[in-house]
Amino acid sequence: MNNTQTVTADEILRSAQELRAEVGVDFHEKLVEAVYTDAARLADRAVTRPDQKARFDLDATIDRIVTDRRWGFLLMILLFTLVLWITIEGANVPSRMIANLLLDTIHPWLKSLAAAISMPWWLDGLLIDGMYLATAWVVSVMLPPMAIFFPLFTLLEDFGYLPRVSFNLDALFRRAGAHGKQALSMMMGFGCNAAGVVATRIIDSPRERLIAIITNNFALCNGRWPTQIMIATVFIGGLVPAHLAGLISAASVVGVALLGVGFTFLVSWFLSRTMLRGEVSTFSLELPPYRPPRFWQTIYTSLIDRTIYVLWRAIVFAMPAGAAIWLVANITIGGTSIAEYIINFVNPFGVLLGLNGVILLAYIVAIPANEIVIPTILMLTVLVTGVDTGAGAGVMFELESGADMLSLFTAGGWTLLTAVNLMLFSLVHNPCSTTIFTIYKETGSAKWTTVAALLPVVMGFGLTFFLAQIWRLLAAL
Amino acid sequence: MAPSDGCEGCPAHNAANLLKLGVDMQDWNYVVALAGNPNTGKSTVFNALTGLRQHTGNWPGKTVSRAEGGFEFGSARYKIVDLPGTYSLLATSLDEQVARNFILFGQPDVTIVVVDASRLERNLNLALQVMEITDRVVVCLNLIDEAERHGLKVDERRLARDLGVPVIPTVARYNRGMDELVKAIHEVATGEVRPRPFKVRSTTGVLKSALEKLEREILQLYPELPNVRWVALRLLDGDEDIIRALRSGELGNLFQMEQPVEEQRQTLMAEGS
Amino acid sequence: MQDSLIALLAGLAVVGGLFAFFWPEKGLLARWRRIRLLTSRVLHEDALKHIQKQDLNRRPASLQSVAGALGLDSNRAVQLVADLEGQGLIRHDEDGLRLTHEGRQVAMNVIRAHRLWEQYLAENTGFSQSEWHPMADQYEHQFSSEELDALAGSLGNPLFDPHGDPIPSREGQVFEHNAVPLTALEQDQSGRIVHVGDEPEMVAAQINAEGLLPGMLLHVSEKTTNRIRFWTNGEEHILAPVVAASISVQLLEEERESRPVGTATYLHELAQGQTGRVVQLLPRLRGAERRRLLDLGMLPGTLVRAELRSPVGDPVAYRVRGALIALRHDQARHIQVNLIKEEA
């Protein structure tokens, strides 16, 4: 050891460079070949296939059915409809129960407690009417559907069906410059966009993953369904005879959701040809064998991994939002609340978009969670119009009856155009702050986060603006 | 036996480097890295080993997510670091970079490679690469139920003999084989079992001779380096992290644990002269 | 009504304005960027690069050739050349303009930058092949030598660019391919094209017309004194030795089971249930995409079976080393296979 002459690091690097030129440009390929040659030999020695062909191949049979030209799509639509239906139907009851508990029982109790210890009105309002109420709202609207949707989805995933969905739908997504797996993150987005953004991790091609992240917002998430359903019931259902009202309003909500899917493809197509052209694109999709899902374990892990995670983030963002909402509604300068100042300021712009100042302010303060948009709009409308609905002014609430809502909105100057544009804007606007934060964590890039946040809101402005102008022109004819 | 191997059962990991990689070993005795292909049930193995005691975050300075957890066996506390699921460690993707640098610079006491028994060939591709970086490998032959369902029988004893490392058949979904896995981890960590992993030998022609030449030079500079061939491979691929570590002398901090370096070195020297 | 009409028109005007501004290549933003890029650094470096290129091709560089290559009028060209001479980067001799030692260094650095960027664009981005050169032409002037080192490091310090041209090291060192001219191959030998010469132009044009690219495998089927006949992916080419000599080939060391001989079949052409043995991944598959396929075990000699078609027929799932991997036609069409005849 002592007699060997020492080499320096630089000498080693130099000879490495020379050797690299000698080995040639296909170094990587040669190396992988060498490793695989050994791997194949070792595997061959260890694996025996005693009865190779005799066995009935269940996987291949399932695969043939689920990727069949007819049955494949039918099965897919049926399964996804079933999942959505179970989610919406199944969430109703627990949602109401939680709302009863948090909003109708605990909230008054907290109020009386605050009164009993004679808490100053502003602290009581800020903490209980602001932060508590907003959080309670988010939890009651968000938790039940997520607790149902995510486990169902995870079960399908665990079974091995979802990769087949990507496989079936890839042709569609390919034409939009996207990856078949985007079908999955999009479906997940119907539950929650933040979860959908996390789900894009399965897409291992950088360009397609960014596309999936940026367009996930166009999947109408769980927090926006109630807005759509309410506005559709109150305004669009009211246009047709009563026996058709349910059908038409449901159809219009589904229409909005499908429009979202359409935007997903359109924007994917646009992004892949412009902004994201330079990102690397690869495609490979492994179809793993089917595995019998482990029911309870799956439900448990999906609750832990997805539901609680998303819920926690939403709560973290909802609390400050609740505080902000309460503050703008309750702090007055010269007898007028801050909210009214802002509403008056943005109202002309809102009207230009076929919306109004109340809606715009609601979307500004409700960035943290779409769930509180409707309560905020109702509260602000009361604040502006002065109509008495029973709830205290400056406090978020919801109305049970559609007629009450219609009369409140009409008092606020709403028209059918306002309703339609609100539905559109609810579909096409910036992602909620939870999602924006998730996008930042997933991409690690301020640039793509900004694009993902601004692109839909600019689109939403454009869409509502043009619709409003054309609508008014036609209405005047 | 290498002179640095003074202590039976002592941890082998590189605590200083681990800290730089974001792993604090203060309350732990051993660190175990978990590697594997995507879709091999790696996370199931991770969950089965750690239960609920896990912590998720990102690798320092990277957007690659990481899970950490732990378990106790005997009187020792084992920390498990879940590496990104990759098909290979040879390419330039961030995931692969993170995984290979952790195994190389962190020098985990044990690296578990989760392999899918029904896709052995492709999974061994990764296992062989890991075995180039570290000797302290345990192969977790997962999903054997699925392989059986497809009419495949894997002879794990023969595989263990061929690979030169412990091979533990498991079905992590049903917690089968996990006790044996933990025991194997313990044995390798404490040095009771000393794997002598199979090293890739199918390199031919210029690639082979280039590797050998480079290995000899590296050994002259760092006679104690445990994984010369891997370093040589990475240098031939122009890996900037390795080049930097070579320039800064950081490679010199990677100690030979228990492999008979002397033997290895002498054969190489003999071939060279 | 009038209000909404005005608003509508104003809105359309805004949208039109945005398009005019952001439109790629022809938009105002793109134009402004281009103009801003034409700094004196760019002119200087381009002039040095031009003189270096002329020098390499053993042609004299002159004031006229500089003006022509850079598209300058003679006044500005004179000014430019005077500037460069003043900085000691070039000098005159009887043959015309020459680079000084310093000038050559600057020129080499620009070439390094250009080729590094081409390699980057080829390996780490999704831009198409025709875009690499013009983009690299812009980027080559924009970065410091430290930034270039970082770029080289992140790329694994490549020695060659995607066209097979050497990338000079920071010190100006250039590596040669471990290759021989195609004319040195004997009958029945296989090799991989590593570089295609671009001089003289006539020869380059013919090679280009034959579609021969670095990265392709070839197999010599016949060699006589006045012609060499060889197969690449599914096509047989016949070249005169003078042309073949400017194709550099790296010999394949090992005998392969599948050689690129005869008409080629590509993976996407396999019918459901058919099996093929991989011959080669064509050079079009590059960067991350190529590495992923290799990692999945899609290597020369590997058996691949087309197993499952998606409802539309694209993608198709293939059985590769035990795993079922779906690939799109767009990828599969670049994987050459030999069809394995099924035994009855």
Side-chain angles (χ1 to χ4, degrees):
Chain A
M1 216 172 131
N2 299 326
N3 52 5
T4 53
Q5 68 274 58
T6 43
V7 281
T8 64
D10 282 331
E11 278 164 10
I12 294 178
L13 290 177
R14 237 191 325 275
S15 63
Q17 289 293 71
E18 279 159 22
L19 290 169
R20 290 177 70 195
E22 208 172 293
V23 173
V25 281
D26 53 355
F27 164 78
H28 188 82
E29 225 153 308
K30 279 184 180 148
L31 184 58
V32 178
E33 264 190 80
V35 181
Y36 254 116
T37 310
D38 284 343
R41 196 161 42 79
L42 293 172
D44 233 33
R45 280 165 58 88
V47 179
T48 44
R49 298 172 170 79
D51 48 350
Q52 208 170 12
K53 288 227 164 110
R55 196 171 272 257
F56 165 70
D57 196 339
L58 185 65
D59 280 47
T61 315
I62 300 179
D63 265 341
R64 259 197 302 280
I65 297 168
V66 302
T67 63
D68 185 84
R69 212 176 278 259
R70 274 159 298 166
W71 300 119
F73 284 122
L74 198 66
L75 193 71
M76 218 159 56
I77 292 167
L78 273 178
L79 268 174
F80 192 57
T81 315
L82 188 72
V83 167
L84 273 186
W85 182 78
I86 295 177
T87 306
I88 293 170
E89 279 301 302
N92 263 341
V93 177
S95 246
R96 209 166 299 135
M97 277 165 56
I98 297 179
N100 264 334
L101 181 72
L102 295 181
L103 302 177
D104 302 342
T105 313
I106 297 188
H107 182 242
W109 180 78
L110 282 174
K111 291 294 276 188
S112 58
L113 186 75
I117 61 166
S118 52
M119 197 185 264
W121 70 271
W122 54 270
L123 191 61
D124 162 28
L126 185 67
L127 289 181
I128 300 170
D129 292 336
M131 294 167 81
Y132 171 77
L133 209 52
T135 313
W137 225 294
V138 170
V139 171
S140 67
V141 179
M142 202 166 175
L143 180 62
M146 295 243 232
I148 296 171
F149 182 81
F150 287 147
L152 285 177
F153 201 79
T154 315
L155 277 177
L156 285 178
E157 191 176 10
D158 212 35
F159 172 61
Y161 177 64
L162 294 189
R164 271 73 183 179
V165 173
S166 313
F167 182 63
N168 284 346
L169 291 177
D170 184 63
L172 210 61
F173 281 90
R174 187 187 65 234
R175 292 198 182 111
H179 196 296
K181 285 182 185 168
Q182 190 174 329
L184 306 186
S185 63
M186 191 172 89
M187 284 186 214
M188 190 66 112
F190 282 111
C192 166
N193 294 135
V197 169
V198 176
T200 62
R201 283 185 188 171
I202 54 171
I203 302 174
D204 52 10
S205 171
R207 184 199 293 171
E208 283 78 0
R209 174 151 190 235
L210 275 173
I211 291 175
I213 288 177
I214 295 173
T215 59
N216 195 274
N217 185 44
F218 296 114
L220 193 64
C221 74
N222 172 43
R224 292 181 273 172
W225 285 97
T227 311
Q228 299 287 348
I229 293 170
M230 192 205 82
I231 300 293
T233 321
V234 171
F235 282 93
I236 301 196
L239 291 177
V240 292
H243 65 277
L244 285 176
L247 191 68
I248 293 296
S249 49
S252 61
V253 174
V254 172
V256 169
L258 288 179
L259 188 68
V261 176
F263 277 130
T264 301
F265 284 112
L266 194 72
V267 175
S268 297
W269 181 87
F270 171 78
L271 287 173
S272 70
R273 272 157 190 78
T274 53
M275 263 181 247
L276 293 173
R277 209 161 48 97
E279 301 290 322
V280 181
S281 162
T282 67
F283 179 87
S284 70
L285 171 64
E286 185 162 3
L287 303 177
Y290 293 98
R291 290 168 190 160
R294 297 207 60 199
F295 193 75
W296 293 113
Q297 193 174 318
T298 305
I299 287 181
Y300 178 75
T301 47
S302 101
L303 276 177
I304 296 290
D305 282 0
R306 287 182 172 144
T307 316
I308 300 296
Y309 162 87
V310 169
L311 191 71
W312 174 243
R313 278 201 187 168
I315 289 174
V316 168
F317 282 106
M319 293 226 284
I325 292 168
W326 188 85
L327 288 174
V328 294
N330 289 282
I331 295 184
T332 53
I333 301 169
T336 316
S337 67
I338 296 182
E340 280 167 284
Y341 279 113
I342 302 177
I343 290 169
N344 289 334
F345 181 70
V346 295
N347 197 50
F349 183 59
V351 170
L352 198 61
L353 298 179
L355 300 166
N356 58 41
V358 166
I359 297 175
L360 286 188
L361 178 60
Y363 271 101
I364 294 169
V365 291
I367 281 181
N370 282 292
E371 283 83 353
I372 47 179
V373 163
I374 287 297
T376 311
I377 288 178
L378 289 170
M379 174 191 86
L380 293 174
T381 309
V382 169
L383 200 68
V384 173
T385 57
V387 174
D388 185 20
T389 54
V395 178
M396 288 184 285
F397 64 95
E398 222 159 37
L399 288 171
E400 293 291 322
S401 125
D404 286 351
M405 263 197 264
L406 189 60
S407 62
L408 176 61
F409 285 141
T410 317
W414 288 44
T415 62
L416 183 59
L417 172 65
T418 321
V420 171
N421 268 359
L422 175 58
M423 285 174 81
L424 280 178
F425 193 69
S426 154
L427 174 72
V428 189
H429 72 284
N430 56 285
C432 67
S433 51
T434 314
T435 306
I436 296 178
F437 179 64
T438 311
I439 292 174
Y440 182 70
K441 280 201 78 173
E442 291 296 315
T443 59
S445 145
K447 178 185 167 193
W448 295 124
T449 311
T450 314
V451 170
L454 291 185
L455 182 83
V457 76
V458 169
M459 274 179 68
F461 284 153
L463 201 65
T464 48
F465 170 79
F466 282 107
L467 184 66
Q469 307 319 319
I470 293 168
W471 183 295
R472 285 173 187 147
L473 272 179
L474 292 179
L477 285 177
Chain B
M1 200 82 358
S4 57
D5 180 39
C7 152
E8 186 79 23
C10 275
H13 59 260
N14 194 325
N17 278 352
L18 281 173
L19 203 58
K20 267 187 256 167
L21 292 161
V23 179
D24 187 357
M25 288 303 294
Q26 199 138 50
D27 300 321
W28 304 87
N29 301 105
Y30 299 105
V31 63
V32 180
L34 188 67
N37 275 202
N39 288 319
T40 50
K42 187 163 75 80
S43 54
T44 323
V45 173
F46 181 79
N47 288 337
L49 282 173
T50 60
L52 279 179
R53 286 164 296 165
Q54 49 182 275
H55 162 83
T56 53
N58 274 12
W59 288 88
K62 306 262 161 61
T63 49
V64 180
S65 63
R66 174 175 86 184
E68 254 176 43
F71 66 88
E72 280 175 38
F73 184 82
S75 56
R77 287 167 57 74
Y78 291 80
K79 181 173 232 172
I80 304 186
V81 178
D82 191 23
L83 301 177
T86 58
Y87 291 109
S88 158
L89 296 176
L90 295 170
T92 49
S93 83
L94 205 53
D95 284 357
E96 298 179 39
Q97 194 193 357
V98 162
R100 66 173 173 248
N101 283 349
F102 186 82
I103 304 177
L104 179 65
F105 293 113
Q107 295 190 288
D109 298 288
V110 184
T111 301
I112 309 170
V113 186
V114 183
V115 303
D116 176 349
S118 52
R119 271 175 223 65
L120 197 55
E121 196 172 323
R122 197 186 73 204
N123 284 265
L124 283 183
N125 172 47
L126 178 73
L128 291 182
Q129 293 177 29
V130 172
M131 280 155 49
E132 288 289 324
I133 315 182
T134 172
D135 290 342
R136 297 169 153 252
V137 172
V138 171
V139 167
C140 166
L141 185 67
N142 197 23
L143 301 171
I144 45 168
D145 54 339
E146 208 163 87
E148 276 162 24
R149 202 159 57 78
H150 287 92
L152 302 177
K153 256 195 84 60
V154 182
D155 182 349
E156 74 264 4
R157 285 157 74 189
R158 174 162 219 170
L159 188 61
R161 217 168 34 240
D162 284 352
L163 289 177
V165 304
V167 173
I168 313 297
T170 62
V171 186
R173 290 156 63 77
Y174 299 100
N175 259 319
R176 265 165 36 202
M178 297 320 284
D179 293 341
E180 290 82 352
L181 182 63
V182 168
K183 191 158 161 280
I185 294 169
H186 169 77
E187 285 170 350
V188 172
T190 55
E192 279 168 50
V193 167
R194 305 196 159 190
R196 307 199 57 173
F198 173 93
K199 301 279 173 180
V200 171
R201 44 178 86 122
S202 292
T203 47
T204 51
V206 260
L207 176 58
K208 190 180 162 103
S209 58
L211 277 173
E212 282 166 0
K213 177 153 186 268
L214 209 51
E215 280 173 63
R216 275 196 300 279
E217 288 187 20
I218 298 166
L219 273 182
Q220 280 181 29
L221 188 61
Y222 298 119
E224 303 280 300
L225 194 69
N227 25 29
V228 209
R229 184 156 71 164
W230 178 257
V231 172
L233 272 176
R234 297 310 302 160
L235 283 180
L236 280 185
D237 210 7
D239 184 334
E240 190 65 14
D241 294 326
I242 301 279
I243 293 176
R244 210 175 295 135
L246 179 68
R247 281 222 177 92
S248 69
E250 202 189 324
L251 278 180
N253 300 335
L254 304 181
F255 293 114
Q256 178 69 28
M257 269 82 67
E258 75 277 339
Q259 277 305 299
V261 212
E262 210 46 36
E263 193 183 302
Q264 196 182 346
R265 200 179 63 85
Q266 274 162 7
T267 44
L268 273 164
M269 289 299 162
E271 280 168 26
S273 54
Chain C
M1 171 178 175
Q2 224 172 359
D3 283 354
S4 28
L5 192 61
I6 293 167
L8 188 62
L9 292 176
L12 286 174
V14 168
V15 171
L18 285 176
F19 267 101
F21 189 71
F22 284 109
W23 198 258
E25 286 174 38
K26 294 196 183 72
L28 290 174
L29 185 67
R31 274 168 208 256
W32 176 73
R33 270 198 186 151
R34 262 204 303 278
I35 291 167
R36 206 183 51 129
L37 281 176
L38 271 185
T39 58
S40 63
R41 175 179 172 183
V42 174
L43 284 177
H44 282 185
E45 290 181 350
D46 280 347
L48 293 173
K49 206 169 71 168
H50 165 75
I51 300 170
Q52 164 89 345
K53 223 181 245 171
Q54 295 292 89
D55 190 41
L56 282 178
N57 296 330
R58 298 193 182 76
R59 280 196 299 240
S62 63
L63 202 57
Q64 286 77 16
S65 76
V66 170
L70 275 68
L72 298 175
D73 60 45
S74 49
N75 278 339
R76 287 192 69 188
V78 169
Q79 178 67 47
L80 177 63
V81 167
D83 268 2
L84 290 170
E85 246 182 316
Q87 290 175 24
L89 297 172
I90 58 172
R91 62 188 160 77
H92 273 293
D93 66 12
E94 61 276 17
D95 290 335
L97 300 172
R98 294 282 187 172
L99 293 176
T100 62
H101 178 68
E102 290 76 30
R104 185 160 294 113
Q105 268 184 339
V106 175
M108 280 307 256
N109 254 317
V110 180
I111 291 173
R112 168 175 159 80
H114 183 91
R115 294 186 177 165
L116 272 176
W117 275 109
E118 285 214 20
Q119 180 70 8
Y120 171 81
L121 292 167
E123 293 292 308
N124 285 12
T125 71
F127 291 109
S128 67
Q129 196 161 354
S130 58
E131 291 169 286
W132 301 340
H133 185 79
M135 289 177 83
D137 262 347
Q138 284 186 12
Y139 294 152
E140 65 187 17
H141 307 295
Q142 295 175 11
F143 296 87
S144 70
S145 120
E146 286 72 33
E147 284 167 318
L148 283 179
D149 286 342
L151 177 69
S154 72
L155 290 171
N157 301 295
L159 302 180
F160 302 101
D161 76 1
H163 310 292
D165 291 319
I167 301 175
S169 73
R170 192 180 181 177
E171 295 77 30
Q173 197 182 1
V174 166
F175 287 94
E176 294 295 321
H177 282 286
N178 175 22
V180 292
L182 175 54
T183 42
L185 260 64
E186 297 303 324
Q187 188 171 325
D188 272 335
Q189 279 190 314
S190 303
R192 184 190 299 277
I193 303 177
V194 292
H195 185 238
V196 173
D198 51 4
E199 294 287 332
E201 255 171 67
M202 291 275 286
V203 171
Q206 193 188 343
I207 295 173
N208 203 15
E210 298 271 338
L212 298 170
L213 294 170
M216 275 184 181
L217 286 189
L218 54 78
H219 184 84
V220 178
S221 47
E222 186 196 350
K223 191 183 160 190
T224 64
T225 46
N226 51 16
R227 66 175 194 188
I228 181 163
R229 197 205 263 275
F230 59 93
W231 286 95
T232 56
N233 44 315
E235 278 174 70
E236 197 170 33
H237 306 264
I238 302 171
L239 291 181
V242 58
V243 179
S246 62
I247 299 177
S248 309
V249 178
Q250 190 181 322
L251 261 173
L252 280 199
E253 296 167 289
E254 69 276 26
E255 264 306 302
R256 300 218 183 190
E257 252 178 288
S258 316
R259 289 177 301 183
V261 177
T263 31
T265 313
Y266 295 94
L267 195 55
H268 72 289
E269 295 167 335
L270 294 187
Q272 208 165 334
Q274 276 185 324
T275 304
R277 190 184 289 281
V278 177
V279 177
Q280 65 168 327
L281 276 59
L282 292 186
R284 260 298 303 281
L285 294 170
R286 56 170 63 254
E289 187 163 38
R290 188 184 193 87
R291 284 191 297 267
R292 169 52 49 82
L293 289 170
L294 294 176
D295 288 342
L296 292 172
M298 195 72 90
L299 294 159
T302 309
L303 289 177
V304 183
R305 193 177 118 97
E307 208 143 283
L308 197 64
R309 291 161 62 84
S310 63
V312 190
D314 178 13
V316 172
Y318 301 93
R319 181 72 61 183
V320 188
R321 298 184 192 255
L324 198 57
I325 312 277
L327 297 179
R328 290 175 176 172
H329 280 357
D330 233 13
Q331 305 166 288
R333 77 169 80 252
H334 300 299
I335 300 174
Q336 189 187 345
V337 295
N338 283 341
L339 192 64
I340 305 281
K341 298 274 180 297
E342 302 274 322
E343 358 24 311

